[in-house]
DNA sequence: GTCTATAAGAAGATAGAC
DNA sequence: GTCTATCTTCTTATAGAC
């Protein structure tokens, strides 16, 4: 059962349970049966609300992407200097060992092969990347960051460091490599 | 059938087929049956050579890790300045859209949950990270790289950028974000 | 809306013949 | 070493009753 969610209706519980399972096991590793058990819903109930596994995953992925975009915007659109906001993004509270609920899906062959499932993943990662680039541009305009930097390049480096930090952390079973990689990047970016 | 490998014996073909499937679909997404078909081997044949799925995956993962370590050492242990060798590592030929055959496994819940399967992944990523740190240290010692850098941190940033670059590339279906992230990092590292 | 029944095929083996 | 048979459980549904 989706323990933190007894007050949700069945459709909501199914989506939330799917989000958790996709995060932990990916699309290939998540079965409708596992979703039903986690949501406390029956077989017929699930197929009443959703057309099938793909349909349910689509709802779950869209919501996770939306949430990720909002969380990124919350720090990148905050107050402070450009460097401070990028630092806030990098140091933002994260469940490092669980990885990124969206980035994780890029390693799933069936998500990547399905344009509908891949679309929200591509869209939100592109949006966050563009938003970081805007902040870098602001830092260049104000003279806060050094002149030779390309905003799009630095934004890709920042996002890649985060996504790759998850990989290193999960490989070691410790969040330390994630934090180390972030500190390295912050040193390189330091005005 | 493992098309490029008709001359290998059954055991070899099974390992190579497993490496390909683990790379593409992960451990959770790879079935013994799929391995057998890709290797052109029968059920009984596979279970004669290997105790089961985990045993076969262990052989495959160990080999992929070994290969990755050797490829990294080939560029990091080459000639040239510290920066040039790190640049060579970052620009090294890669099948970007396929991702990293080793890093990819960190997103697999059953690999991460199994100490035997995770060990080669952790070991080789740690080894590459330490090797990059050595090269950064050489650059600091020679005065080629700026003084304020921590070798361990920069090494983690370099490896994370690569691993995260794969994520961004697969999300968009294009290798461009990988190359962009690498260029950003090279700009930040430039002596 | 939710439940149970049914089903073809895959997953991950084990057993024993050849 | 390789092959076929067999087994249990899981996967991903569909059909129809309540």
């Amino acid at each position: 059962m989706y323990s933190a969610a007894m007050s949700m209706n069945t459709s909501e519980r199914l989506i939330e349970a799917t989000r958790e399972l996709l995060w932990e096991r990916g699309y290939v590793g998540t079965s409708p049966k596992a979703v039903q058990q986690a949501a406390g819903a029956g077989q017929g109930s699930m197929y009443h609300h959703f057309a099938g596994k793909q349909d349910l995953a689509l709802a779950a992925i869209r919501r996770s992407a939306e949430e990720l975009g909002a969380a990124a915007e919350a720090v990148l659109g905050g107050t402070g200097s450009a460097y401070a906001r990028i630092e806030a993004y990098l140091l933002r509270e994260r469940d490092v060992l669980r990885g990124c609920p969206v980035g994780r899906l890029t390693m799933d062959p069936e998500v990547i092969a399905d344009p509908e499932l891949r679309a929200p993943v591509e869209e939100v990662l592109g949006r966050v990347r563009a938003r970081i680039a805007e902040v870098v541009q602001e830092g260049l305009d104000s003279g806060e960051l050094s002149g030779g930097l390309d905003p799009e390049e630095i934004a890709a480096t920042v996002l890649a460091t985060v996504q790759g930090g998850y990989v290193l952390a999960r490989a070691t079973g410790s969040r330390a490599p994630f934090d180390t990689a972030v500190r390295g990047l912050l040193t390189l970016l330091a005005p």
Side-chain angles (χ1 to χ4, degrees), chain A residues 33-119:
Chain A
K33 189 182 181 185
V35 170
Q36 291 151 208
Q37 289 177 337
Q43 192 104 321
S45 194
M46 187 196 111
Y47 284 101
H48 170 73
H49 290 285
F50 297 94
K53 177 178 172 175
Q54 194 252 17
D55 187 38
L56 183 46
L58 190 54
I61 293 173
R62 283 180 174 153
R63 183 172 297 180
S64 290
E66 198 180 334
E67 213 172 76
L68 182 67
E73 180 55 33
V75 279
L76 292 170
T79 61
S81 67
Y83 181 84
R85 277 177 287 154
I86 289 169
E87 184 179 36
Y89 173 73
L90 286 167
L91 298 178
R92 174 194 152 207
E93 202 180 345
R94 297 167 193 276
D95 200 341
V96 172
L97 286 179
R98 295 193 76 187
C100 175
V102 175
R104 190 240 179 282
L105 299 170
T106 63
M107 293 304 142
D108 200 302
E110 300 189 7
V111 170
I112 293 307
D114 182 331
E116 271 202 291
L117 294 179
R118 185 167 68 82

Side-chain angles (χ1 to χ4, degrees), chain A residues 140-156:
Chain A
L140 292 175
D141 291 345
S142 72
E144 185 196 347
L145 296 178
S146 22
L149 305 182
D150 176 313
E152 297 295 339
E153 287 180 5
I154 300 304

